[in-house]
Amino acid sequence: MANVPSITFIGGGNMCEAILSGLLKTGHPTSHVRISEPFDQRREYLRTKYGVDVVESNGDAISGKQGMSVSSGVSCDVVVLAVKPQVVGDVVRGVAGELSAAKPLVISIVAGVAIKDLARWIGIDSNVPLVRLMPNTPALVGEGAAGMYADAAVSAEQRKQTEYVVSKIAKEYTWVDSESGIDAVTAISGSGPAYFFLVIEAMEKAGVEMGLPADAAKRLAAQTALGAAKMVLTSDDDVPTLRKKVTSPNGTTHAAIEQMIASNVPEGITA
């Protein structure tokens, strides 16, 4: 990536803050960040905590022409759409002029909104480069997994800019070749945390029933999940081999795995 990009966030919610925090912790200059946020209290919070320009107007956040003190005179390279799905159409139509004029890379983290819809709202002939990014909730603590899809207008440099942004919230991320690949990412990484929460919840409950304090049971279960995940990411063994290494024949772990299989737990995940 040739230069540090100037990034405008449309929507100052939790995911915006997670990315912003990651950017600033790794040395991204406050002069190269702007945020638009509709709520007064949230604007003041972000402005005070992070020292960046936070304004009410989405258009001003992109153009940088009004209300800027920290980022005055800095053009916009990347726009991150971080608003609710139910308002994204109105939001994008409202800044179509600014986007068409500046042609920044637009990265949408809005769930369920297709590239074709974004292009239609901006203007089919605008040729604004668009990326759809699907992070998951662990991104809020810097441990996310994410998938990315780019339209044909996105350059190699803009792909690097996307990776620069996503690396602040995700430890694992991948490009997919078709937008339908985002659905697969959603099924694995988007919904996946809930599956693991359910398993940890069951393990915690079992630990309490066997006499452990609730906090100890929770921490042991969570660390077990974290450790197992780290082994998957660092071991030369595949996942089935790792599982078999822990599962002594006819032991208690084997019995528990057999019960899970009999209860169709794997099928429930893949259904």
Side-chain angles (χ1 to χ4, degrees):
M1 191 173 62
N3 300 297
V4 175
S6 174
I7 302 170
T8 292
F9 293 90
I10 305 298
N14 290 335
M15 197 62 75
C16 161
E17 186 175 3
I19 299 171
L20 173 63
S21 177
L23 285 168
L24 299 184
K25 283 178 181 177
T26 54
H28 189 90
T30 55
S31 61
H32 283 55
V33 177
R34 287 195 287 266
I35 304 170
S36 63
E37 165 57 40
F39 297 106
D40 294 347
Q41 187 173 1
R42 182 69 177 174
R43 284 199 302 275
E44 184 59 29
Y45 164 78
L46 292 168
R47 190 181 295 121
T48 301
K49 182 170 183 177
Y50 295 104
V52 298
D53 283 327
V54 189
V55 297
E56 184 174 8
S57 167
N58 297 329
D60 288 347
I62 295 170
S63 69
K65 292 180 179 178
Q66 296 186 52
M68 307 304 156
S69 57
V70 182
S71 64
S72 179
V74 179
S75 62
C76 175
D77 301 311
V78 178
V79 171
V80 179
L81 284 174
V83 299
K84 300 293 185 184
Q86 59 267 31
V87 302
V88 66
D90 289 339
V91 168
V92 174
R93 281 189 289 264
V95 293
E98 287 85 354
L99 293 175
S100 297
K103 288 185 170 44
L105 169 65
V106 175
I107 302 173
S108 172
I109 60 173
V110 185
V113 176
I115 291 284
K116 63 180 179 60
D117 293 320
L118 296 172
R120 176 167 53 84
W121 295 328
I122 297 170
I124 295 297
D125 298 326
S126 65
N127 205 36
V128 172
L130 301 171
V131 166
R132 188 173 167 195
L133 167 62
M134 183 66 218
N136 61 1
T137 52
L140 296 173
V141 293
E143 293 286 347
M148 303 164 290
Y149 171 73
D151 75 358
V154 175
S155 67
E157 178 69 10
Q158 288 168 331
R159 282 179 176 256
K160 291 179 182 178
Q161 290 174 342
T162 303
E163 292 170 4
Y164 175 76
V165 171
V166 75
S167 69
K168 308 310 175 185
I169 54 170
K171 295 289 181 67
E172 297 291 334
Y173 47 89
T174 187
W175 288 99
V176 296
D177 295 329
S178 65
E179 195 164 4
S180 62
I182 292 293
D183 296 332
V185 172
T186 300
I188 295 171
S189 297
S191 302
Y195 310 154
F196 289 103
F197 293 151
L198 180 63
V199 171
I200 292 170
E201 182 183 354
M203 291 173 67
E204 178 187 351
K205 181 181 178 183
V208 170
E209 289 176 351
M210 288 186 287
L212 288 173
D215 184 64
K218 179 178 73 173
R219 291 181 174 278
L220 286 169
Q223 180 59 43
T224 299
L226 182 63
K230 192 163 187 178
M231 289 183 71
V232 168
L233 292 172
T234 59
S235 176
D236 292 332
D237 292 329
D238 60 19
V239 176
T241 300
L242 289 170
R243 175 171 57 80
K244 289 172 183 175
K245 284 184 175 181
V246 184
T247 310
S248 301
N250 301 314
T252 55
T253 305
H254 180 266
I257 292 292
E258 289 297 309
Q259 180 60 51
M260 289 182 190
I261 293 172
S263 299
N264 297 318
V265 171
E267 287 79 3
I269 293 172
T270 58

